[in-house]
């Protein structure tokens, strides 16, 4: 009987812990994370907001946290920044409507590609990612000119 109670108690604890981990963040949670400059956590939970609820406020918050997140990544690994830009652009294409995000994306991306193309053995890989980078923002004349 004691073993059964112990098993039930462990299952209840495990289930409640798993439920707590599955809690979806709200728009208010994302706003709080933005104000706390907890960009990495906020980016991880942008998808918690259902697509039908991704209004102008969500777009603004998403662009701000994505911008902060990219700026906070280490400059020691610019290729990681490029890959994160690709991931964010692909996962949340609405953020491309934010001039603030597009500006940061352009600056960070071009620095990353400058470093990438300076490595002679990485030319083909850099080229493939660079084409994706420019194509994702094909209507940006500044990017096209600078590219």
């Amino acid at each position: 009987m004691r073993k059964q109670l112990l098993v039930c108690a462990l299952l209840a604890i495990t289930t409640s812990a798993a439920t707590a981990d599955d809690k979806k963040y709200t728009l208010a949670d994302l706003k709080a994370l933005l104000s706390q400059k907890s960009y990495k956590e906020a980016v991880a939970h942008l998808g918690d907001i259902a697509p039908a609820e991704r209004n102008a406020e969500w777009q603004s918050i998403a662009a701000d946290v994505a911008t902060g997140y990219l700026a906070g990544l280490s400059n020691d690994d610019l290729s990681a920044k490029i890959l994160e830009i690709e991931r964010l652009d692909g996962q949340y294409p609405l953020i491309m409507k934010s001039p603030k995000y597009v500006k940061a994306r352009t600056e960070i991306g071009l620095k990353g590609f400058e470093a990438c193309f300076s490595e002679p053995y990485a030319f083909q890989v850099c080229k493939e990612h660079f084409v994706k980078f420019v194509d994702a923002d094909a209507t940006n004349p500044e990017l096209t000119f600078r590219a």
Side-chain angles (χ1 to χ4, degrees), residues 67-97:
T67 301
Y69 172 68
L70 290 176
L73 293 175
S74 172
N75 284 330
D76 294 340
D77 190 0
L78 292 170
S79 60
K81 284 188 173 190
I82 292 168
L83 294 175
E84 282 302 293
I85 288 170
E86 279 184 24
R87 183 182 71 81
L88 290 169
D89 292 355
Q91 200 166 1
Y92 307 109
L94 285 175
I95 61 176
M96 292 296 291
K97 293 182 178 183

Side-chain angles (χ1 to χ4, degrees), residues 58-124:
W58 179 89
Q59 286 179 305
S60 175
I61 291 168
D64 288 348
V65 299
T67 301
Y69 172 68
L70 290 176
L73 293 175
S74 172
N75 284 330
D76 294 340
D77 190 0
L78 292 170
S79 60
K81 284 188 173 190
I82 292 168
L83 294 175
E84 282 302 293
I85 288 170
E86 279 184 24
R87 183 182 71 81
L88 290 169
D89 292 355
Q91 200 166 1
Y92 307 109
L94 285 175
I95 61 176
M96 292 296 291
K97 293 182 178 183
S98 166
K100 180 179 181 180
Y101 174 76
V102 169
K103 182 179 180 195
R105 175 191 185 277
T106 299
E107 294 299 320
I108 292 166
L110 289 176
K111 283 180 190 172
F113 283 110
E114 185 178 324
C116 187
F117 281 116
S118 70
E119 300 293 331
Y121 60 86
F123 181 81
Q124 188 60 36

Side-chain angles (χ1 to χ4, degrees), residues 6-144:
L6 181 61
V7 168
C8 287
L10 287 173
L11 282 173
I13 291 170
T14 305
T15 303
S16 67
T19 304
D21 290 342
D22 292 341
K23 179 188 176 285
K24 300 287 186 190
Y25 282 35
T26 64
L27 199 54
D29 292 328
L30 294 177
K31 285 169 69 172
L33 291 171
L34 175 61
S35 70
Q36 297 165 8
K37 298 185 184 207
S38 297
Y39 303 121
K40 183 177 181 179
E41 183 178 359
V43 164
H45 289 280
L46 287 173
D48 289 358
I49 307 302
E53 297 173 15
R54 294 180 187 172
N55 56 22
E57 184 178 23
W58 179 89
Q59 286 179 305
S60 175
I61 291 168
D64 288 348
V65 299
T67 301
Y69 172 68
L70 290 176
L73 293 175
S74 172
N75 284 330
D76 294 340
D77 190 0
L78 292 170
S79 60
K81 284 188 173 190
I82 292 168
L83 294 175
E84 282 302 293
I85 288 170
E86 279 184 24
R87 183 182 71 81
L88 290 169
D89 292 355
Q91 200 166 1
Y92 307 109
L94 285 175
I95 61 176
M96 292 296 291
K97 293 182 178 183
S98 166
K100 180 179 181 180
Y101 174 76
V102 169
K103 182 179 180 195
R105 175 191 185 277
T106 299
E107 294 299 320
I108 292 166
L110 289 176
K111 283 180 190 172
F113 283 110
E114 185 178 324
C116 187
F117 281 116
S118 70
E119 300 293 331
Y121 60 86
F123 181 81
Q124 188 60 36
V125 173
C126 293
K127 180 182 160 197
E128 290 170 14
H129 288 281
F130 189 65
V131 168
K132 282 189 216 175
F133 179 77
V134 173
D135 284 350
D137 192 16
T139 61
N140 181 346
E142 178 191 357
L143 175 60
T144 305

